[in-house]
Amino acid sequence: MSKINFFTEDINYNLKGKTSIKKWITETIISEGYELNELNFIFCSDEYLLRVNQDFLKHDYYTDVITFDNSEELKTIFGDIFISIDRVKDNAKENNASTLDELCRIMIHGTLHLLGYKDKTKKAKIEMTEKEDFYLERRS
């Protein structure tokens, strides 16, 4: 079984370039000094992710990504990253980006959360965005 897996919940979405994306995310994890155990990306709709947000985080709003860290060991990645493809498509339009480029930004954002990066304060958001940009530049 692959260490990075892609699933869909209530939508049809076929991610292009899975092999290169897996390599890129794995290299990101290793370069941050972590070991990859298992990482699942679950692509879904706005409504599905809203229910996840309500049920698990008690938040009643739409979001593009929710990351669950299931790791039991330090410096080991074992997690689930839920991504709303609806939000990704809307964000891509807003940012004049391709859907794939925006999806990769969200995927690396979720991965960075598993690597210990936060985005709750202004300073942390700036650092998170800088890390996103840094790793997006390394995507082949």
Side-chain angles (χ1 to χ4, degrees), residues 46 49-54 57-66 87 120:
D46 264 352
L49 197 55
L50 176 62
R51 283 192 305 276
V52 170
N53 211 4
Q54 291 166 333
L57 303 177
K58 306 302 179 222
H59 297 159
D60 192 19
Y61 54 81
Y62 292 101
T63 187
D64 48 10
V65 61
I66 297 177
R87 285 293 99 227
K120 293 293 182 214

Side-chain angles (χ1 to χ4, degrees), residues 5 20 37 42 83 87 89 95 99 107 112 125 133:
N5 305 292
S20 66
N37 184 329
I42 302 97
I83 297 174
R87 285 293 99 227
K89 287 178 178 175
N95 299 326
T99 299
M107 290 170 75
L112 289 169
K125 272 187 180 133
D133 292 342

Side-chain angles (χ1 to χ4, degrees), residues 75-126:
K75 296 285 190 176
T76 300
I77 298 298
F78 184 66
D80 298 310
I81 299 176
F82 288 81
I83 297 174
S84 166
I85 296 300
D86 296 328
R87 285 293 99 227
V88 167
K89 287 178 178 175
D90 286 351
N91 291 349
K93 279 183 198 145
E94 251 179 60
N95 299 326
N96 282 333
S98 74
T99 299
L100 180 59
D101 286 348
E102 184 63 24
L103 179 56
C104 285
R105 178 174 291 281
I106 299 304
M107 290 170 75
I108 208 66
H109 181 91
T111 303
L112 289 169
H113 276 305
L114 294 173
L115 295 169
Y117 293 92
K118 309 282 186 235
D119 60 2
K120 293 293 182 214
T121 66
K122 190 174 181 181
K123 185 179 178 214
K125 272 187 180 133
I126 291 167

